[in-house]
Amino acid sequence: MGGWDLVALAINGMIGAGIFGFPSQVFKTIGVYSLGAFVVCGIFIAMIVYCFAEVGSRFDGTGGPYLYAHEAFRPVVGFEVGWLIWLARLTAFAANLNLLVDYVGYFWVGLASPTGRPALIIALTTALTIVNIVGVKDAALASNIFTIGKLAPLACFVLVGLFFVRFDNFTPGPVPPIGDFSKAVLLLVYAFTGFEMAVIPAGEIKDPRRSLPLAILRALAVVTVTYVLIQVVCIGTFPELGSSSRPLADASARFMGRGGAGFITAGAVISVIGTLNVLVLAGSRLPFAMSERGELPQILAATHAKFRTPYVSILVTAVVMTVLTLTGTFIYAATISIIARLLAYAATCAALLVFRSRKTAPQALFNAPGAAVVAVLSLLLICWLLANCKGTDARDAAIAAGTGLVVYGLFRLRRTS
């Protein structure tokens, strides 16, 4: 891949479902200052991907942060990171599907009934499970369709909405407390993640020592500018932004009418469905890979006789995803996903320091100047963000992480007995 191929890949990975839900949540938290939160979050993510660029260039195998932690630390740490990544995929699925239900509710008023919401959740999860077990032909074509369906409404929203912005809506209020600003940045981490798809295959990039950091930074700049412009339009055209569950649809209704809002909503639905399919695909492969390494029961590594897909792992992952979606909300699931991702990112930043000090470590194709300092700063920022999590969210994430250690310990004990 060339530099611009990598830019496109990174942009596609980062722009997902989060931007269709978070404009209202961050505005509710810190008002107009949410524009600054987008910029700060972009800089923070740039520091993390800088660390990924070097660590990822040391390996040809799959697994991402799970592989890095497994090689840098003890297998138990690698397992826990893999468990956290799986947890992040599960909760991201729950967050995205809950957001999808909100947007589908624009077309289907009866979805708010006691049976409508769970029926849609179970039907969509079942359909995606079947698709992933059977296997998807023409995956590249499907990906391109979802990408166009994702980017076209966002571009339309910004280009049209900027003409209707009322600048008196940007009157700044009192400066928010640092804790509230931190919570807003923490939420936005969810919208900026997905860069791993572009960082990990460093060995397949032309001249990674030059193209990788520039491409990722360019992609981050494009995504950050896009997100800021979306937030500008939302604030400038929709004063009731903080109370909306589908902010882009409600804002577009103000300046494009119901037809325009329907177009934005349809784009959101297409985008989220595409993201959900990727989450089932990626999430189900983690237990499969960990089972192949002998860290989970062998049954999870079973493949379908006809379709050659890890159907047991897909089914288990889909069941857990369904339960989490039915019992949680968009913000709760997204927050747990963010905590899990930050912990996995912290492991990669720490792995960079370990590999640089280990003479026997695989050689890096990309030696990032000043990466050790960036890694330390990233770890400090991750700690800062995690310290501002709600107590209940941190508790639930700790319980989920602890469950992973129990599973690992019980399985190891069973194997040795």
Side-chain angles (χ1 to χ4, degrees):
M1 291 186 292
W4 289 107
D5 295 326
L6 189 60
V7 171
L9 182 62
I11 291 173
N12 189 30
M14 284 184 282
I15 297 181
I19 192 56
F20 290 98
F22 282 125
S24 59
Q25 297 298 326
V26 293
F27 182 81
K28 181 180 179 180
T29 304
I30 56 174
V32 175
Y33 296 94
S34 56
L35 295 172
F38 275 99
V39 176
V40 170
C41 190
I43 295 172
F44 169 59
I45 296 298
M47 295 170 61
I48 293 178
V49 299
Y50 194 60
C51 297
F52 266 76
E54 177 172 318
V55 177
S57 72
R58 295 178 182 269
F59 298 95
D60 296 325
T62 58
Y66 165 62
L67 174 63
Y68 310 154
H70 199 281
E71 296 299 323
F73 310 105
R74 298 278 183 178
V76 64
V77 178
F79 177 89
E80 183 65 11
V81 170
W83 180 271
L84 288 170
I85 297 172
W86 187 56
L87 174 64
R89 297 295 181 266
L90 297 176
T91 48
F93 183 94
N96 288 345
L97 188 44
N98 274 304
L99 180 65
L100 177 64
V101 171
D102 288 336
Y103 270 88
V104 172
Y106 183 86
F107 299 111
W108 180 14
V109 179
L111 193 61
S113 68
T115 57
R117 178 178 175 272
L120 178 61
I121 289 172
I122 293 173
L124 278 175
T125 307
T126 301
L128 291 171
T129 302
I130 293 172
V131 166
N132 275 272
I133 291 177
V134 173
V136 182
K137 294 182 180 179
D138 299 324
L141 177 59
S143 176
N144 290 339
I145 292 173
F146 281 128
T147 300
I148 294 172
K150 174 195 307 182
L151 297 179
L154 293 179
C156 179
F157 179 83
V158 170
L159 293 176
V160 177
L162 286 175
F163 288 99
F164 295 88
V165 167
R166 293 175 56 90
F167 289 98
D168 54 342
N169 289 349
F170 294 89
T171 303
V175 177
I178 188 65
D180 288 345
F181 190 86
S182 303
K183 292 175 183 177
V185 174
L186 180 66
L187 284 176
L188 291 177
V189 168
Y190 185 89
F192 280 87
T193 53
F195 60 83
E196 301 94 326
M197 290 189 293
V199 175
I200 292 172
E204 302 173 52
I205 300 167
K206 296 177 182 178
D207 194 9
R209 290 178 173 84
R210 286 196 309 146
S211 62
L212 186 57
L214 288 176
I216 298 298
L217 291 175
R218 284 169 180 162
L220 279 171
V222 171
V223 170
T224 302
V225 170
T226 301
Y227 284 176
V228 169
L229 289 176
I230 289 172
Q231 190 71 358
V232 166
V233 173
C234 285
I235 296 173
T237 62
F238 187 36
E240 302 86 359
L241 178 61
S243 60
S244 174
S245 61
R246 42 179 184 262
L248 270 66
D250 291 339
S252 60
R254 295 297 178 89
F255 57 84
M256 289 194 293
R258 185 168 179 81
F263 173 67
I264 298 298
T265 302
V269 170
I270 293 172
S271 175
V272 176
I273 290 177
T275 302
L276 290 172
N277 185 57
V278 172
L279 287 170
V280 174
L281 176 67
S284 61
R285 267 55 181 183
L286 282 164
F288 173 76
M290 295 163 77
S291 178
E292 283 194 318
R293 283 180 173 266
E295 296 176 341
L296 284 176
Q298 192 63 34
I299 185 64
L300 292 171
T303 56
H304 195 279
K306 179 180 180 180
F307 304 118
R308 310 306 302 168
T309 52
Y311 71 103
V312 176
S313 182
I314 292 172
L315 288 172
V316 170
T317 299
V319 169
V320 179
M321 285 175 166
T322 303
V323 173
L324 288 174
T325 306
L326 290 171
T327 58
T329 63
F330 168 63
I331 290 299
Y332 173 77
T335 303
I336 300 299
S337 180
I338 292 166
I339 294 173
R341 294 181 194 207
L342 285 176
L343 292 172
Y345 294 164
T348 297
C349 294
L352 182 145
L353 301 174
V354 171
F355 290 136
R356 282 205 165 190
S357 63
R358 185 182 297 172
K359 294 181 180 180
T360 58
Q363 184 179 3
L365 295 180
F366 168 64
N367 293 298
V373 175
V374 174
V376 173
L377 291 175
S378 297
L379 289 170
L380 292 174
L381 287 172
I382 289 172
C383 291
W384 167 57
L385 290 176
L386 292 176
N388 285 280
C389 294
K390 288 174 58 178
T392 53
D393 294 336
R395 178 203 62 198
D396 293 347
I399 292 173
T403 302
L405 292 176
V406 172
V407 170
Y408 179 83
L410 290 176
F411 186 65
R412 293 283 295 181
L413 183 62
R414 180 182 176 184
R415 289 189 63 190
T416 55
S417 61

